Amino acid sequence: MPEAGSTFASTLPVPHICTMTDAQTIAGTAHPTEFLRQRRMALLLVRLPDTTRGWLFWLREPGQKWLRLPAGTLLVMGGLLSFLPVLGLWMLPLGIALLAEDFTLCRKACAHMLDWTIRRKPHWLGIKPDETEEDAYLRILPHIPPRHRMNRGEQADT
C-alpha cells in the first residue's frame, strides 16, 4: 500500500528501454540490432535542443503509446504529403522513428535509416571523425535519462 502523500504512479516500477519493444532474444535481453537502434536513436536525440529532447524521450516511453501512435501516424502522413506548403519531408523519418517503438516493420526501416546515417553522415549523430560510435555514446551518456541508457551488459551475446 502506498504511503500517504505519494501517488500511485510513483509506486509503479519504472520500465527500462529494453522492455519497451518486443525485439528480445529468448533469454529476455535486447536483440543486438535493437541494442544498436536504441543506442543510435539516443545519439540522434541528444543532438536536439533540451526541450525537444525531453519530450521525445518521454514520448518513447511505453506508457505514452496512446499518444505516440497517432503522432507517428500523422507525421508519416504529413511526410507523404510533403509537396504541400506547410508539410515537409522531415516528418517522414520522425514518424517512422516514433512508430518503430511499436511496429516491427517501422523498427526495421528505422534501423536501416540509422545504418545509412552512421555510414554516410556520422556527424549527424554527433560522432566526431576520430571517435567510434561506442566512444560517442559514452560521451553523451550523462545527457540520456537513466531508463533510456543501453549498457553493454544488456546486449545479447552473438
Side-chain angles (χ1 to χ4, degrees):
M1 177 127 188
E3 297 177 14
S6 69
T7 63
F8 178 71
S10 64
T11 61
L12 294 175
V14 178
H16 189 270
I17 192 75
C18 288
T19 63
M20 294 183 190
T21 63
D22 59 358
Q24 305 221 346
T25 62
I26 294 171
T29 58
H31 194 274
T33 55
E34 180 62 12
F35 175 82
L36 280 176
R37 188 184 71 81
Q38 293 288 354
R39 189 168 71 177
R40 290 172 177 172
M41 280 299 297
L43 283 167
L44 184 63
L45 291 177
V46 166
R47 304 254 315 162
L48 299 172
D50 288 340
T51 54
T52 307
R53 176 187 333 147
W55 68 261
L56 278 174
F57 273 121
W58 173 79
L59 199 56
R60 293 180 66 222
E61 292 183 3
Q64 306 312 321
K65 187 175 185 174
W66 61 273
L67 186 59
R68 183 174 54 244
L69 292 176
T73 304
L74 288 173
L75 284 166
V76 167
M77 289 189 319
L80 293 175
L81 298 174
S82 63
F83 59 88
L84 296 174
V86 177
L87 307 173
L89 196 58
W90 62 270
M91 301 170 103
L92 188 62
L94 181 58
I96 290 173
L98 285 176
L99 292 174
E101 301 302 320
D102 302 304
F103 299 109
T104 305
L105 182 64
C106 292
R107 193 174 302 130
K108 289 179 183 178
C110 183
H112 287 298
M113 288 187 300
L114 290 168
D115 283 342
W116 180 89
T117 305
I118 210 83
R119 281 186 277 115
R120 305 281 176 123
K121 307 282 186 184
H123 61 278
W124 287 3
L125 298 178
I127 300 174
K128 298 175 184 171
D130 61 339
E131 73 180 348
T132 65
E133 182 180 343
E134 179 87 20
D135 294 337
Y137 183 75
L138 293 174
R139 181 174 38 83
I140 65 148
L141 205 55
H143 302 286
I144 302 172
R147 64 179 165 257
H148 288 272
R149 293 180 184 167
M150 296 295 294
N151 297 328
R152 194 78 169 143
E154 294 164 357
Q155 183 180 6
D157 296 327
T158 54

